[in-house]
Amino acid sequence: MLPYGDRSGADLLAAAREGTAIPGFVAYNLETVQGIVAAAEATGRPVLLQAGSSAFKHAGREALMTLALDAARRSSARIGVHLDHSRELDEIAACVEAGYTSVMVDGSHLPFAENVALTRKAVELAHDAGVWVEAELGALAGDEDVSTDAVAAGGTMTDPEQAAEFVAATRVDALAVAVGNVHGFTAEPVRLDLDRLAAIRDAVPVPLVLHGASGLPEEQLRGALARGVAKVNVNAELRRAYLRAVRDALPGALAGSDAVATWHAGRDAVTAAATRITRQLGPAR
Ligand code: 13P
């Protein structure tokens, strides 16, 4: 395990001990970065600002990295800057070098041995720089950036024994699991396989990560927090809040050609949603 710095992994491990979790919120642009940072400041809770990897396609890697790192550094809140779902070692190396506090290497689409090999390489380069690493075993249904609100459950569940082998072979610091969770909103309420989650928790020595928390029923979230989940990823819920606020602000904004009014509305909606979700995950510190 790494000697974590105060701005990153220490918070993750503390959350794991207390049965609470830190949120990993996905940011795409200036307003979503600002909204997430404002939520961290409002709640007094540590937050991971997940800038990239898919959002790099929209914003550009240098631009979004710089924006996220600068916002985190200037904030009075404890904010780690995290790379979400990266398949590329070059990208991981660039984020580590730029100052990200953690990265996720996603080899979940690969056969087991190849996932282990990719993850090991990412762990090597990140640990050399004191950066902690999340990896994924098993695969979630749904898309990371687009949700039709009607994703069906599916994917490949994480096997507890294989998870133990994976963590031992890779020395990864946190493990993202597939236990019925889904990226995006679903037609039917999601029911997690909480027994499987408990078995994974018992089999591996590292904190677990729950992706796809948007729309997850509250009692399912509570069940996950009680079974070793220490980081909870949220994206679609922030996107929806942003878009609805922009839609509502648009008629007035158009009347005055006031683009800033829509950006502010979107940003403030992200702050409100991220604040509510962060409070669900644990008390202020
Ligand atoms: P949701 O879009 O379902 O919240 O999932 C986000 C996520 O897991 C990002 O990695």
Side-chain angles (χ1 to χ4, degrees):
M1 206 67 68
L2 285 169
Y4 292 126
D6 193 41
R7 293 172 64 85
S8 53
D11 297 328
L12 183 67
L13 294 181
R17 277 200 300 276
E18 295 165 18
T20 65
I22 55 172
F25 290 127
V26 177
Y28 289 85
N29 61 2
L30 173 65
E31 288 73 30
T32 47
V33 166
Q34 289 176 333
I36 292 164
V37 167
E41 289 167 358
T43 58
R45 298 258 315 149
V47 160
L48 288 172
L49 180 58
Q50 303 197 152
S53 130
S54 72
F56 290 153
K57 289 191 215 98
H58 152 67
R61 187 162 84 197
E62 289 297 323
L64 188 57
M65 280 194 324
T66 306
L67 181 59
L69 287 164
D70 184 63
R73 285 183 186 132
R74 285 174 193 278
S75 174
S76 58
R78 282 170 295 167
I79 299 171
V81 182
H82 177 88
L83 176 66
D84 196 24
H85 286 293
S86 182
R87 297 181 174 191
E88 305 292 334
L89 290 171
D90 285 359
E91 183 176 71
I92 291 170
C95 289
V96 166
E97 192 176 334
Y100 275 44
T101 50
S102 52
V103 294
M104 177 194 187
V105 55
D106 185 357
S108 62
H109 56 293
L110 299 171
F112 182 77
E114 289 173 42
N115 189 357
V116 168
L118 176 69
T119 302
R120 277 175 84 130
K121 286 187 188 142
V123 166
E124 233 163 74
L125 77 85
H127 280 191
D128 279 350
V131 167
W132 62 265
V133 180
E134 172 189 340
E136 179 167 326
L137 189 65
L140 268 61
D143 185 281
E144 286 150 36
D145 298 299
V146 178
S147 173
T148 58
D149 296 10
V151 184
T156 310
M157 297 268 196
T158 308
D159 175 71
E161 265 180 46
Q162 211 179 37
E165 192 186 334
F166 184 81
V167 171
T170 58
R171 294 177 49 246
V172 77
D173 304 284
L175 184 69
V177 293
V179 290
N181 41 326
V182 169
H183 280 300
F185 296 108
T186 51
E188 300 294 327
V190 165
R191 286 194 63 79
L192 301 176
D193 185 341
L194 294 175
D195 290 341
R196 179 181 294 270
L197 188 58
I200 299 168
R201 187 254 338 258
D202 292 344
V204 306
V206 297
L208 304 181
V209 182
L210 188 74
H211 283 235
S214 291
L216 189 66
E218 169 109 29
E219 87 283 355
Q220 296 288 304
L221 182 63
R222 298 258 147 259
L225 296 187
R227 290 167 181 79
V229 165
K231 172 174 180 274
V232 171
N233 279 14
V234 180
N235 183 351
E237 210 149 314
L238 301 191
R239 295 198 310 268
R240 187 167 70 178
Y242 181 95
L243 290 170
R244 283 180 173 165
V246 168
R247 176 197 62 196
D248 293 346
L250 201 52
L254 265 177
S257 299
D258 184 358
V260 171
T262 61
W263 299 332
H264 281 184
R267 179 195 64 193
D268 294 348
V270 168
T271 300
T275 297
R276 176 178 52 74
I277 294 162
T278 303
R279 290 198 170 123
Q280 281 184 330
L281 300 180
R285 304 195 186 152

